[in-house]
């Protein structure tokens, strides 16, 4: 979905160029995943508590997921660079205006729903835990400020 | 907004895939346009009109009442 939103491509040449850049991005993402796994393994073997075991598991799990995602994306990109028909199909899927509209709408609705749930969570958590309350509060404020900044920026640009 | 894509396509014996390929969108977009579930952008409307060799107004029917104008 993020690739779709990022895609302002009109021709096959532009798309091929973007795919070659994507290979570098995929490798970078894979390296980040690998770093997370290594960090997780260190955490697992570190002396101590359940907390380090939890963090180790979390780092390893997310790291592996990122590595798998990067490898999958890399293989798909390479296939696209070799196969013209497949590349065109994928380009059309990414640049299709309806797909992009659906992507933008889904992200915007997901943001609104998340904020609504965060607000409810903030109200309820206030009775039990201040830490959770401030976390929800922080998310809501960050989202609102980011929205205002982006709106001001886009109003100037468009 | 209503449109005559389906009629024009049938008259000219063009499949949804062929039209989608020509105007560089997915077949699903053509289906949504024909069903009236999605309104084409100005660029896509231009591409479709050019493909059929007609004007935009001949394909896309702007209903003043429906659009509250």
């Amino acid at each position: 979905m993020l690739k779709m939103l990022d895609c302002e491509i009109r021709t096959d040449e532009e798309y091929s160029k973007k795919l070659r850049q994507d290979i570098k991005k995929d490798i970078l993402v894979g390296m980040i995943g690998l770093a997370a796994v290594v960090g997780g393994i260190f955490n697992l073997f570190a002396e101590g508590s359940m907390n380090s075991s939890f963090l180790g598991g979390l780092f390893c799990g997310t790291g592996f997921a990122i590595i798998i995602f990067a490898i999958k994306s890399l293989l798909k990109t390479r296939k696209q660079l070799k196969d013209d028909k497949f590349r065109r199909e994928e380009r059309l899927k990414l640049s299709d205006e309806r797909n992009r509209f659906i992507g933008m709408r889904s992200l915007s609705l997901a943001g609104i729903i998340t904020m609504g749930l965060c607000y409810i969570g903030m109200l309820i958590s206030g009775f039990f835990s201040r830490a959770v309350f401030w976390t929800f509060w922080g998310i809501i404020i960050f989202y609102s400020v980011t929205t205002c900044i982006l709106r001001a920026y886009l109003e100037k640009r468009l | 907004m209503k449109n005559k894509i389906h009629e024009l396509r049938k008259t000219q014996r063009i499949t949804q895939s062929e039209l989608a390929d020509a105007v560089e969108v997915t077949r699903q977009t053509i289906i949504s346009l024909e069903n009236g579930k999605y309104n084409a952008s100005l660029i896509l409307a231009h591409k479709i009109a050019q493909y059929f060799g007609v004007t935009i107004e001949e394909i896309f029917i702007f209903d003043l009442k429906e659009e509250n104008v």
Side-chain angles (χ1 to χ4, degrees), chain A residues 5-104:
Chain A
L5 294 178
D6 186 37
C7 194
E8 287 282 353
I9 279 145
R10 308 228 186 280
T11 62
D12 267 341
E13 289 74 33
E14 281 177 18
Y15 188 56
S16 299
K17 200 176 160 189
K18 186 188 173 296
L19 286 176
R20 277 189 277 276
Q21 287 170 351
D22 280 355
I23 288 178
K24 287 174 196 162
K25 280 184 201 167
D26 290 336
I27 292 170
L28 184 71
V29 170
M31 299 289 271
I32 292 168
L34 191 67
V37 171
V38 172
I41 290 168
F42 270 115
N43 241 314
L44 280 174
F45 289 107
E47 279 195 40
S49 55
M50 249 169 62
N51 195 33
S52 70
S53 156
F54 166 75
L55 279 179
L58 183 83
F59 273 50
C60 283
T62 51
F64 272 120
I66 290 171
I67 291 171
I68 289 167
F69 169 79
I71 292 170
K72 202 179 146 206
S73 177
L74 194 70
L75 292 174
K76 195 178 171 187
T77 309
R78 283 174 65 115
K79 192 184 169 193
Q80 285 186 69
L81 283 169
K82 284 178 188 167
D83 187 342
D84 290 350
K85 198 183 166 198
F86 182 58
R87 182 170 67 233
R88 186 176 158 78
E89 276 171 18
E90 288 301 308
R91 178 171 72 81
L92 290 187
K93 266 188 218 167
L94 281 180
S95 61
D96 180 63
E97 62 173 49
R98 180 175 160 276
N99 277 347
R100 296 186 72 188
F101 174 74
I102 291 170
M104 278 193 270

Side-chain angles (χ1 to χ4, degrees), chain A residues 88 91-92 96-98, chain B residues 21 24-25 29 32 38 41:
Chain A
R88 186 176 158 78
R91 178 171 72 81
L92 290 187
D96 180 63
E97 62 173 49
R98 180 175 160 276
Chain B
D21 210 39
E24 302 211 308
V25 291
T29 300
S32 294
Y38 176 70
S41 70

